[in-house]
Amino acid sequence: MWTYEKRLEYPVNIKTPNPAMAKFIISQVGGPDGELAASQRYLSQRYSMPFNEAIATLTDVGTEELAHLEMVSAIIHQLTRNMTIDQIKDAGFETYFVDHTAGVYPQAAAGFPFNALSFASKGDAITDLIEDMAAEQKARTTYDNILRMVDDPDVIDPIRYLREREVVHFQRFGEALRNVQDNLDGKNFYALNPSFD
């Protein structure tokens, strides 16, 4: 069970709307390496994870990814609030606007909607944790790309925070992977027994 505090994990206070910026940051809501996929990946994987420490990591990080989804959604909302029709057209935001007005809709920067195929839950401890480490690196790369594209310090600040958390999550999953490898039954650990006898 979780206790929900009605505040963002890290503050988002964007003063200048910019729908053009929102068009690519939206990828961290519903893109293949975004926060929605991450939260669902980790919170799904925890059920088949055989080790309590790794379950705790998946639960903690999965829950934090929901907080990150909330932060990115706040960024999108603040970048698109109170837009004029001219701002919408000038930013090339009209196709999104026609379908969603200024609602936050989970999609990739390329425009395709969120799909559950964006996340994996295999039920194998090593497979899932390696997937998780890769997912955190892909999310970090996406935040790196966003930082290359933005010049508003009000946007840069929370994006940098989110990027830092991806690095921490990568490290936590690495620790969980080492713990799992140290405790798996050698007969079922493919690195020790490739024939899976």
Side-chain angles (χ1 to χ4, degrees):
M1 188 47 118
W2 298 285
T3 301
Y4 176 65
E5 291 184 33
K6 295 185 179 185
R7 64 179 174 81
L8 294 178
E9 179 180 355
Y10 188 87
V12 175
N13 298 304
I14 299 168
K15 296 173 208 67
T16 308
N18 187 333
M21 213 178 282
K23 283 174 51 177
F24 55 84
I25 295 174
I26 195 81
S27 223
Q28 283 302 88
V29 172
D33 305 313
E35 304 294 354
L36 179 57
S39 67
Q40 298 309 295
R41 175 186 300 110
Y42 309 143
L43 294 175
S44 296
Q45 289 174 354
R46 68 192 180 123
Y47 292 101
S48 59
M49 183 58 62
F51 301 102
N52 287 336
E53 295 86 357
I55 292 169
T57 299
L58 289 165
T59 302
D60 290 349
V61 176
T63 303
E64 186 174 351
E65 299 294 4
L66 291 171
H68 294 178
L69 177 64
E70 188 176 38
M71 282 180 63
V72 177
S73 296
I75 291 168
I76 300 303
H77 169 70
Q78 291 179 26
L79 286 171
T80 59
R81 67 176 175 228
N82 304 320
M83 297 178 293
T84 67
I85 293 300
D86 287 338
Q87 287 173 317
I88 292 166
K89 290 179 181 176
D90 290 346
F93 199 73
E94 58 269 12
T95 55
Y96 183 94
F97 182 82
V98 166
D99 288 338
H100 310 292
T101 319
V104 178
Y105 178 76
Q107 70 177 43
F112 56 85
F114 175 76
N115 187 317
L117 294 173
S118 297
F119 72 90
S121 181
K122 195 71 169 173
D124 177 87
I126 292 175
T127 302
D128 283 346
L129 289 168
I130 289 173
E131 160 70 21
D132 300 343
M133 291 174 70
E136 292 298 323
Q137 287 293 18
K138 290 185 283 184
R140 187 223 11 107
T141 300
T142 302
Y143 283 124
D144 287 347
N145 293 339
I146 289 169
L147 287 168
R148 289 180 181 104
M149 303 285 291
V150 300
D151 57 5
D152 183 340
D154 292 339
V155 176
I156 291 170
D157 184 50
I159 294 293
R160 279 192 180 145
Y161 172 82
L162 290 164
R163 182 201 180 279
E164 290 170 9
R165 295 307 299 161
E166 304 302 343
V167 173
V168 171
H169 294 169
F170 176 82
Q171 293 166 341
R172 297 236 9 242
F173 285 130
E175 293 162 3
L177 178 62
R178 283 188 294 281
N179 187 353
V180 165
Q181 289 172 326
D182 289 345
N183 291 297
L184 267 179
D185 180 348
K187 287 199 264 184
N188 294 328
F189 183 20
Y190 71 90
L192 300 177
N193 190 351
S195 65
F196 199 74
D197 293 333

